[in-house]
Amino acid sequence: MLAKRVVGEDSIIAKRQRLRDIIHQNSLLKDREFLLASGAHSNYYFDMKMTTQDPEGASLVGDVLFDYLTQYDFQYLGGLATGAIAPMLAVCIRSWPDRPIRGFFVRDEAKDHGTKKLIDGHIKSGASVIIVDDVTTKGDSAMKAVRAVQRRGCT
């Protein structure tokens, strides 16, 4: 089911509210117990791919995150594949042309063919980066990305 659009309301507050509604409708699961990546159990789970892969949801994620991130001084945005790819792309797309932000993602392990990269996309050694993810409990996935970019000299 397609979500209803925020008509005539372009404020970031309205966009945050609409995004919250979409997340509640599409991504909040409460129908069973979930085993989390951290090993913990929960009676709810946010399947954020159902929001970040929805046209309106992805657009709102880009708007809301871009608005939030503009307070920080950084060059690149990324995180661990696959969870970081959709929010990173949403922000990169939204950032043009106001404040272009380039993205990257970190693989679980370097490819054994082609470029053999562990980090794919736009990133330069020594840059300041922001790490994103679609869902987190303890941050272990995000920390894999942090360690990979730190090995490149990034902060």
PDB file of all heavy atoms in Angstrom, residues 54-89:
ATOM      1  N   ASP A  54      10.749   2.333   0.167  1.00  0.00           N
ATOM      2  CA  ASP A  54       9.462   2.866  -0.256  1.00  0.00           C
ATOM      3  C   ASP A  54       9.733   4.256  -0.832  1.00  0.00           C
ATOM      4  O   ASP A  54      10.529   5.006  -0.267  1.00  0.00           O
ATOM      5  CB  ASP A  54       8.536   2.963   0.971  1.00  0.00           C
ATOM      6  CG  ASP A  54       7.274   3.745   0.689  1.00  0.00           C
ATOM      7  OD1 ASP A  54       6.323   3.136   0.166  1.00  0.00           O
ATOM      8  OD2 ASP A  54       7.246   4.953   0.989  1.00  0.00           O
ATOM      9  N   PRO A  55       9.120   4.636  -1.955  1.00  0.00           N
ATOM     10  CA  PRO A  55       9.452   5.935  -2.559  1.00  0.00           C
ATOM     11  C   PRO A  55       9.292   7.126  -1.619  1.00  0.00           C
ATOM     12  O   PRO A  55      10.215   7.937  -1.501  1.00  0.00           O
ATOM     13  CB  PRO A  55       8.479   6.035  -3.742  1.00  0.00           C
ATOM     14  CG  PRO A  55       8.097   4.638  -4.047  1.00  0.00           C
ATOM     15  CD  PRO A  55       8.146   3.882  -2.752  1.00  0.00           C
ATOM     16  N   GLU A  56       8.165   7.239  -0.961  1.00  0.00           N
ATOM     17  CA  GLU A  56       7.971   8.371  -0.054  1.00  0.00           C
ATOM     18  C   GLU A  56       8.868   8.240   1.167  1.00  0.00           C
ATOM     19  O   GLU A  56       9.478   9.220   1.613  1.00  0.00           O
ATOM     20  CB  GLU A  56       6.509   8.484   0.382  1.00  0.00           C
ATOM     21  CG  GLU A  56       6.275   9.711   1.240  1.00  0.00           C
ATOM     22  CD  GLU A  56       4.852   9.836   1.765  1.00  0.00           C
ATOM     23  OE1 GLU A  56       4.081   8.866   1.666  1.00  0.00           O
ATOM     24  OE2 GLU A  56       4.531  10.915   2.296  1.00  0.00           O
ATOM     25  N   GLY A  57       8.975   7.035   1.705  1.00  0.00           N
ATOM     26  CA  GLY A  57       9.823   6.819   2.872  1.00  0.00           C
ATOM     27  C   GLY A  57      11.268   7.184   2.594  1.00  0.00           C
ATOM     28  O   GLY A  57      11.916   7.868   3.384  1.00  0.00           O
ATOM     29  N   ALA A  58      11.790   6.733   1.445  1.00  0.00           N
ATOM     30  CA  ALA A  58      13.180   7.036   1.084  1.00  0.00           C
ATOM     31  C   ALA A  58      13.392   8.531   0.922  1.00  0.00           C
ATOM     32  O   ALA A  58      14.400   9.084   1.373  1.00  0.00           O
ATOM     33  CB  ALA A  58      13.559   6.305  -0.197  1.00  0.00           C
ATOM     34  N   SER A  59      12.438   9.201   0.293  1.00  0.00           N
ATOM     35  CA  SER A  59      12.541  10.644   0.109  1.00  0.00           C
ATOM     36  C   SER A  59      12.569  11.361   1.455  1.00  0.00           C
ATOM     37  O   SER A  59      13.383  12.262   1.674  1.00  0.00           O
ATOM     38  CB  SER A  59      11.368  11.140  -0.741  1.00  0.00           C
ATOM     39  OG  SER A  59      11.422  12.538  -0.880  1.00  0.00           O
ATOM     40  N   LEU A  60      11.701  10.942   2.356  1.00  0.00           N
ATOM     41  CA  LEU A  60      11.649  11.571   3.681  1.00  0.00           C
ATOM     42  C   LEU A  60      12.896  11.260   4.498  1.00  0.00           C
ATOM     43  O   LEU A  60      13.396  12.129   5.219  1.00  0.00           O
ATOM     44  CB  LEU A  60      10.393  11.138   4.423  1.00  0.00           C
ATOM     45  CG  LEU A  60       9.094  11.711   3.851  1.00  0.00           C
ATOM     46  CD1 LEU A  60       7.892  11.000   4.463  1.00  0.00           C
ATOM     47  CD2 LEU A  60       9.014  13.205   4.065  1.00  0.00           C
ATOM     48  N   VAL A  61      13.416  10.031   4.406  1.00  0.00           N
ATOM     49  CA  VAL A  61      14.672   9.691   5.089  1.00  0.00           C
ATOM     50  C   VAL A  61      15.773  10.625   4.603  1.00  0.00           C
ATOM     51  O   VAL A  61      16.539  11.166   5.400  1.00  0.00           O
ATOM     52  CB  VAL A  61      15.056   8.206   4.861  1.00  0.00           C
ATOM     53  CG1 VAL A  61      16.501   7.942   5.237  1.00  0.00           C
ATOM     54  CG2 VAL A  61      14.123   7.290   5.654  1.00  0.00           C
ATOM     55  N   GLY A  62      15.852  10.836   3.294  1.00  0.00           N
ATOM     56  CA  GLY A  62      16.854  11.745   2.747  1.00  0.00           C
ATOM     57  C   GLY A  62      16.691  13.153   3.277  1.00  0.00           C
ATOM     58  O   GLY A  62      17.661  13.789   3.702  1.00  0.00           O
ATOM     59  N   ASP A  63      15.455  13.663   3.275  1.00  0.00           N
ATOM     60  CA  ASP A  63      15.198  15.025   3.764  1.00  0.00           C
ATOM     61  C   ASP A  63      15.531  15.178   5.240  1.00  0.00           C
ATOM     62  O   ASP A  63      16.208  16.123   5.645  1.00  0.00           O
ATOM     63  CB  ASP A  63      13.724  15.401   3.556  1.00  0.00           C
ATOM     64  CG  ASP A  63      13.366  15.691   2.114  1.00  0.00           C
ATOM     65  OD1 ASP A  63      14.281  15.940   1.303  1.00  0.00           O
ATOM     66  OD2 ASP A  63      12.151  15.673   1.807  1.00  0.00           O
ATOM     67  N   VAL A  64      15.035  14.254   6.051  1.00  0.00           N
ATOM     68  CA  VAL A  64      15.195  14.367   7.508  1.00  0.00           C
ATOM     69  C   VAL A  64      16.655  14.182   7.913  1.00  0.00           C
ATOM     70  O   VAL A  64      17.189  14.962   8.709  1.00  0.00           O
ATOM     71  CB  VAL A  64      14.260  13.370   8.226  1.00  0.00           C
ATOM     72  CG1 VAL A  64      14.575  13.273   9.706  1.00  0.00           C
ATOM     73  CG2 VAL A  64      12.792  13.770   8.013  1.00  0.00           C
ATOM     74  N   LEU A  65      17.319  13.165   7.376  1.00  0.00           N
ATOM     75  CA  LEU A  65      18.728  12.961   7.718  1.00  0.00           C
ATOM     76  C   LEU A  65      19.601  14.103   7.197  1.00  0.00           C
ATOM     77  O   LEU A  65      20.508  14.552   7.894  1.00  0.00           O
ATOM     78  CB  LEU A  65      19.234  11.620   7.193  1.00  0.00           C
ATOM     79  CG  LEU A  65      18.809  10.388   7.967  1.00  0.00           C
ATOM     80  CD1 LEU A  65      19.342   9.127   7.297  1.00  0.00           C
ATOM     81  CD2 LEU A  65      19.283  10.461   9.410  1.00  0.00           C
ATOM     82  N   PHE A  66      19.343  14.553   5.973  1.00  0.00           N
ATOM     83  CA  PHE A  66      20.118  15.663   5.433  1.00  0.00           C
ATOM     84  C   PHE A  66      19.985  16.891   6.329  1.00  0.00           C
ATOM     85  O   PHE A  66      20.983  17.528   6.668  1.00  0.00           O
ATOM     86  CB  PHE A  66      19.680  15.984   4.006  1.00  0.00           C
ATOM     87  CG  PHE A  66      20.409  17.147   3.405  1.00  0.00           C
ATOM     88  CD1 PHE A  66      21.725  17.018   2.976  1.00  0.00           C
ATOM     89  CD2 PHE A  66      19.790  18.375   3.269  1.00  0.00           C
ATOM     90  CE1 PHE A  66      22.414  18.095   2.423  1.00  0.00           C
ATOM     91  CE2 PHE A  66      20.464  19.461   2.720  1.00  0.00           C
ATOM     92  CZ  PHE A  66      21.777  19.321   2.295  1.00  0.00           C
ATOM     93  N   ASP A  67      18.763  17.202   6.723  1.00  0.00           N
ATOM     94  CA  ASP A  67      18.538  18.351   7.606  1.00  0.00           C
ATOM     95  C   ASP A  67      19.324  18.195   8.904  1.00  0.00           C
ATOM     96  O   ASP A  67      19.960  19.140   9.366  1.00  0.00           O
ATOM     97  CB  ASP A  67      17.042  18.487   7.910  1.00  0.00           C
ATOM     98  CG  ASP A  67      16.757  19.633   8.857  1.00  0.00           C
ATOM     99  OD1 ASP A  67      16.882  20.800   8.431  1.00  0.00           O
ATOM    100  OD2 ASP A  67      16.430  19.369  10.030  1.00  0.00           O
ATOM    101  N   TYR A  68      19.314  17.008   9.473  1.00  0.00           N
ATOM    102  CA  TYR A  68      20.020  16.764  10.731  1.00  0.00           C
ATOM    103  C   TYR A  68      21.538  16.836  10.546  1.00  0.00           C
ATOM    104  O   TYR A  68      22.251  17.427  11.354  1.00  0.00           O
ATOM    105  CB  TYR A  68      19.622  15.403  11.296  1.00  0.00           C
ATOM    106  CG  TYR A  68      20.351  15.056  12.561  1.00  0.00           C
ATOM    107  CD1 TYR A  68      19.996  15.641  13.773  1.00  0.00           C
ATOM    108  CD2 TYR A  68      21.413  14.166  12.545  1.00  0.00           C
ATOM    109  CE1 TYR A  68      20.678  15.341  14.939  1.00  0.00           C
ATOM    110  CE2 TYR A  68      22.099  13.858  13.711  1.00  0.00           C
ATOM    111  CZ  TYR A  68      21.733  14.451  14.899  1.00  0.00           C
ATOM    112  OH  TYR A  68      22.421  14.157  16.042  1.00  0.00           O
ATOM    113  N   LEU A  69      22.045  16.229   9.482  1.00  0.00           N
ATOM    114  CA  LEU A  69      23.494  16.106   9.298  1.00  0.00           C
ATOM    115  C   LEU A  69      24.182  17.399   8.892  1.00  0.00           C
ATOM    116  O   LEU A  69      25.401  17.519   9.038  1.00  0.00           O
ATOM    117  CB  LEU A  69      23.789  15.019   8.261  1.00  0.00           C
ATOM    118  CG  LEU A  69      23.416  13.598   8.666  1.00  0.00           C
ATOM    119  CD1 LEU A  69      23.608  12.642   7.500  1.00  0.00           C
ATOM    120  CD2 LEU A  69      24.211  13.159   9.879  1.00  0.00           C
ATOM    121  N   THR A  70      23.436  18.378   8.396  1.00  0.00           N
ATOM    122  CA  THR A  70      24.081  19.618   7.942  1.00  0.00           C
ATOM    123  C   THR A  70      24.746  20.388   9.079  1.00  0.00           C
ATOM    124  O   THR A  70      25.554  21.279   8.819  1.00  0.00           O
ATOM    125  CB  THR A  70      23.079  20.532   7.211  1.00  0.00           C
ATOM    126  OG1 THR A  70      21.965  20.797   8.064  1.00  0.00           O
ATOM    127  CG2 THR A  70      22.625  19.909   5.902  1.00  0.00           C
ATOM    128  N   GLN A  71      24.466  20.037  10.317  1.00  0.00           N
ATOM    129  CA  GLN A  71      25.123  20.709  11.452  1.00  0.00           C
ATOM    130  C   GLN A  71      26.559  20.215  11.664  1.00  0.00           C
ATOM    131  O   GLN A  71      27.309  20.817  12.421  1.00  0.00           O
ATOM    132  CB  GLN A  71      24.306  20.493  12.725  1.00  0.00           C
ATOM    133  CG  GLN A  71      24.267  19.052  13.210  1.00  0.00           C
ATOM    134  CD  GLN A  71      23.371  18.855  14.408  1.00  0.00           C
ATOM    135  OE1 GLN A  71      23.554  19.528  15.425  1.00  0.00           O
ATOM    136  NE2 GLN A  71      22.420  17.958  14.298  1.00  0.00           N
ATOM    137  N   TYR A  72      26.925  19.134  10.989  1.00  0.00           N
ATOM    138  CA  TYR A  72      28.250  18.539  11.183  1.00  0.00           C
ATOM    139  C   TYR A  72      29.162  18.831  10.003  1.00  0.00           C
ATOM    140  O   TYR A  72      28.725  18.927   8.861  1.00  0.00           O
ATOM    141  CB  TYR A  72      28.127  17.023  11.377  1.00  0.00           C
ATOM    142  CG  TYR A  72      27.318  16.664  12.593  1.00  0.00           C
ATOM    143  CD1 TYR A  72      26.007  16.221  12.475  1.00  0.00           C
ATOM    144  CD2 TYR A  72      27.858  16.797  13.866  1.00  0.00           C
ATOM    145  CE1 TYR A  72      25.254  15.911  13.594  1.00  0.00           C
ATOM    146  CE2 TYR A  72      27.118  16.478  14.991  1.00  0.00           C
ATOM    147  CZ  TYR A  72      25.814  16.042  14.852  1.00  0.00           C
ATOM    148  OH  TYR A  72      25.075  15.742  15.958  1.00  0.00           O
ATOM    149  N   ASP A  73      30.462  18.905  10.299  1.00  0.00           N
ATOM    150  CA  ASP A  73      31.472  19.108   9.271  1.00  0.00           C
ATOM    151  C   ASP A  73      32.063  17.742   8.917  1.00  0.00           C
ATOM    152  O   ASP A  73      32.799  17.161   9.717  1.00  0.00           O
ATOM    153  CB  ASP A  73      32.558  20.057   9.801  1.00  0.00           C
ATOM    154  CG  ASP A  73      33.620  20.343   8.756  1.00  0.00           C
ATOM    155  OD1 ASP A  73      33.318  20.247   7.549  1.00  0.00           O
ATOM    156  OD2 ASP A  73      34.761  20.632   9.154  1.00  0.00           O
ATOM    157  N   PHE A  74      31.714  17.223   7.752  1.00  0.00           N
ATOM    158  CA  PHE A  74      32.201  15.927   7.312  1.00  0.00           C
ATOM    159  C   PHE A  74      32.240  15.906   5.792  1.00  0.00           C
ATOM    160  O   PHE A  74      31.613  16.736   5.139  1.00  0.00           O
ATOM    161  CB  PHE A  74      31.313  14.793   7.846  1.00  0.00           C
ATOM    162  CG  PHE A  74      29.912  14.794   7.282  1.00  0.00           C
ATOM    163  CD1 PHE A  74      29.574  13.919   6.263  1.00  0.00           C
ATOM    164  CD2 PHE A  74      28.951  15.669   7.761  1.00  0.00           C
ATOM    165  CE1 PHE A  74      28.293  13.938   5.726  1.00  0.00           C
ATOM    166  CE2 PHE A  74      27.674  15.683   7.243  1.00  0.00           C
ATOM    167  CZ  PHE A  74      27.333  14.808   6.215  1.00  0.00           C
ATOM    168  N   GLN A  75      32.989  14.956   5.246  1.00  0.00           N
ATOM    169  CA  GLN A  75      33.122  14.875   3.795  1.00  0.00           C
ATOM    170  C   GLN A  75      32.318  13.723   3.174  1.00  0.00           C
ATOM    171  O   GLN A  75      31.863  13.841   2.047  1.00  0.00           O
ATOM    172  CB  GLN A  75      34.593  14.714   3.395  1.00  0.00           C
ATOM    173  CG  GLN A  75      35.410  15.976   3.591  1.00  0.00           C
ATOM    174  CD  GLN A  75      35.811  16.189   5.032  1.00  0.00           C
ATOM    175  OE1 GLN A  75      36.313  15.293   5.693  1.00  0.00           O
ATOM    176  NE2 GLN A  75      35.557  17.380   5.550  1.00  0.00           N
ATOM    177  N   TYR A  76      32.177  12.603   3.891  1.00  0.00           N
ATOM    178  CA  TYR A  76      31.545  11.428   3.310  1.00  0.00           C
ATOM    179  C   TYR A  76      30.584  10.778   4.302  1.00  0.00           C
ATOM    180  O   TYR A  76      30.756  10.896   5.518  1.00  0.00           O
ATOM    181  CB  TYR A  76      32.603  10.396   2.895  1.00  0.00           C
ATOM    182  CG  TYR A  76      33.623  10.958   1.943  1.00  0.00           C
ATOM    183  CD1 TYR A  76      34.871  11.369   2.395  1.00  0.00           C
ATOM    184  CD2 TYR A  76      33.339  11.088   0.590  1.00  0.00           C
ATOM    185  CE1 TYR A  76      35.809  11.897   1.531  1.00  0.00           C
ATOM    186  CE2 TYR A  76      34.271  11.619  -0.287  1.00  0.00           C
ATOM    187  CZ  TYR A  76      35.498  12.014   0.186  1.00  0.00           C
ATOM    188  OH  TYR A  76      36.425  12.536  -0.679  1.00  0.00           O
ATOM    189  N   LEU A  77      29.613  10.057   3.749  1.00  0.00           N
ATOM    190  CA  LEU A  77      28.594   9.377   4.534  1.00  0.00           C
ATOM    191  C   LEU A  77      28.527   7.928   4.085  1.00  0.00           C
ATOM    192  O   LEU A  77      28.478   7.652   2.885  1.00  0.00           O
ATOM    193  CB  LEU A  77      27.239  10.053   4.304  1.00  0.00           C
ATOM    194  CG  LEU A  77      26.034   9.471   5.021  1.00  0.00           C
ATOM    195  CD1 LEU A  77      26.109   9.785   6.517  1.00  0.00           C
ATOM    196  CD2 LEU A  77      24.747  10.034   4.433  1.00  0.00           C
ATOM    197  N   GLY A  78      28.530   6.999   5.038  1.00  0.00           N
ATOM    198  CA  GLY A  78      28.431   5.591   4.655  1.00  0.00           C
ATOM    199  C   GLY A  78      28.291   4.700   5.853  1.00  0.00           C
ATOM    200  O   GLY A  78      28.014   5.147   6.967  1.00  0.00           O
ATOM    201  N   GLY A  79      28.499   3.426   5.620  1.00  0.00           N
ATOM    202  CA  GLY A  79      28.397   2.435   6.670  1.00  0.00           C
ATOM    203  C   GLY A  79      28.513   1.043   6.088  1.00  0.00           C
ATOM    204  O   GLY A  79      28.871   0.865   4.926  1.00  0.00           O
ATOM    205  N   LEU A  80      28.177   0.079   6.913  1.00  0.00           N
ATOM    206  CA  LEU A  80      28.311  -1.321   6.526  1.00  0.00           C
ATOM    207  C   LEU A  80      27.203  -1.716   5.556  1.00  0.00           C
ATOM    208  O   LEU A  80      26.031  -1.402   5.767  1.00  0.00           O
ATOM    209  CB  LEU A  80      28.267  -2.198   7.774  1.00  0.00           C
ATOM    210  CG  LEU A  80      28.764  -3.627   7.622  1.00  0.00           C
ATOM    211  CD1 LEU A  80      30.250  -3.668   7.292  1.00  0.00           C
ATOM    212  CD2 LEU A  80      28.508  -4.415   8.899  1.00  0.00           C
ATOM    213  N   ALA A  81      27.599  -2.430   4.480  1.00  0.00           N
ATOM    214  CA  ALA A  81      26.597  -2.990   3.562  1.00  0.00           C
ATOM    215  C   ALA A  81      25.849  -4.080   4.324  1.00  0.00           C
ATOM    216  O   ALA A  81      26.431  -4.768   5.144  1.00  0.00           O
ATOM    217  CB  ALA A  81      27.282  -3.564   2.327  1.00  0.00           C
ATOM    218  N   THR A  82      24.627  -4.221   4.188  1.00  0.00           N
ATOM    219  CA  THR A  82      23.683  -3.591   3.292  1.00  0.00           C
ATOM    220  C   THR A  82      22.851  -2.531   3.992  1.00  0.00           C
ATOM    221  O   THR A  82      22.208  -1.717   3.318  1.00  0.00           O
ATOM    222  CB  THR A  82      22.713  -4.623   2.674  1.00  0.00           C
ATOM    223  OG1 THR A  82      21.956  -5.240   3.717  1.00  0.00           O
ATOM    224  CG2 THR A  82      23.438  -5.684   1.904  1.00  0.00           C
ATOM    225  N   GLY A  83      22.885  -2.532   5.295  1.00  0.00           N
ATOM    226  CA  GLY A  83      22.016  -1.649   6.063  1.00  0.00           C
ATOM    227  C   GLY A  83      22.240  -0.176   5.841  1.00  0.00           C
ATOM    228  O   GLY A  83      21.306   0.618   5.948  1.00  0.00           O
ATOM    229  N   ALA A  84      23.444   0.234   5.512  1.00  0.00           N
ATOM    230  CA  ALA A  84      23.731   1.661   5.346  1.00  0.00           C
ATOM    231  C   ALA A  84      23.435   2.172   3.946  1.00  0.00           C
ATOM    232  O   ALA A  84      23.330   3.379   3.749  1.00  0.00           O
ATOM    233  CB  ALA A  84      25.196   1.933   5.677  1.00  0.00           C
ATOM    234  N   ILE A  85      23.295   1.273   2.984  1.00  0.00           N
ATOM    235  CA  ILE A  85      23.224   1.715   1.590  1.00  0.00           C
ATOM    236  C   ILE A  85      21.996   2.574   1.313  1.00  0.00           C
ATOM    237  O   ILE A  85      22.112   3.657   0.741  1.00  0.00           O
ATOM    238  CB  ILE A  85      23.320   0.517   0.628  1.00  0.00           C
ATOM    239  CG1 ILE A  85      24.725  -0.088   0.730  1.00  0.00           C
ATOM    240  CG2 ILE A  85      23.014   0.937  -0.801  1.00  0.00           C
ATOM    241  CD1 ILE A  85      24.927  -1.368  -0.056  1.00  0.00           C
ATOM    242  N   ALA A  86      20.812   2.146   1.713  1.00  0.00           N
ATOM    243  CA  ALA A  86      19.600   2.920   1.398  1.00  0.00           C
ATOM    244  C   ALA A  86      19.595   4.295   2.078  1.00  0.00           C
ATOM    245  O   ALA A  86      19.365   5.309   1.394  1.00  0.00           O
ATOM    246  CB  ALA A  86      18.347   2.125   1.745  1.00  0.00           C
ATOM    247  N   PRO A  87      19.853   4.398   3.388  1.00  0.00           N
ATOM    248  CA  PRO A  87      19.859   5.746   3.969  1.00  0.00           C
ATOM    249  C   PRO A  87      20.981   6.622   3.420  1.00  0.00           C
ATOM    250  O   PRO A  87      20.796   7.822   3.220  1.00  0.00           O
ATOM    251  CB  PRO A  87      20.001   5.513   5.474  1.00  0.00           C
ATOM    252  CG  PRO A  87      20.376   4.101   5.661  1.00  0.00           C
ATOM    253  CD  PRO A  87      19.983   3.366   4.423  1.00  0.00           C
ATOM    254  N   MET A  88      22.142   6.033   3.149  1.00  0.00           N
ATOM    255  CA  MET A  88      23.254   6.799   2.576  1.00  0.00           C
ATOM    256  C   MET A  88      22.861   7.355   1.211  1.00  0.00           C
ATOM    257  O   MET A  88      23.061   8.538   0.935  1.00  0.00           O
ATOM    258  CB  MET A  88      24.498   5.905   2.464  1.00  0.00           C
ATOM    259  CG  MET A  88      25.680   6.538   1.767  1.00  0.00           C
ATOM    260  SD  MET A  88      25.735   6.252  -0.025  1.00  0.00           S
ATOM    261  CE  MET A  88      26.007   4.498  -0.121  1.00  0.00           C
ATOM    262  N   LEU A  89      22.281   6.518   0.361  1.00  0.00           N
ATOM    263  CA  LEU A  89      21.876   6.985  -0.964  1.00  0.00           C
ATOM    264  C   LEU A  89      20.791   8.052  -0.888  1.00  0.00           C
ATOM    265  O   LEU A  89      20.817   9.021  -1.650  1.00  0.00           O
ATOM    266  CB  LEU A  89      21.390   5.816  -1.820  1.00  0.00           C
ATOM    267  CG  LEU A  89      22.480   4.955  -2.436  1.00  0.00           C
ATOM    268  CD1 LEU A  89      21.862   3.750  -3.133  1.00  0.00           C
ATOM    269  CD2 LEU A  89      23.326   5.752  -3.401  1.00  0.00           C
TER     270      LEU A  89
END
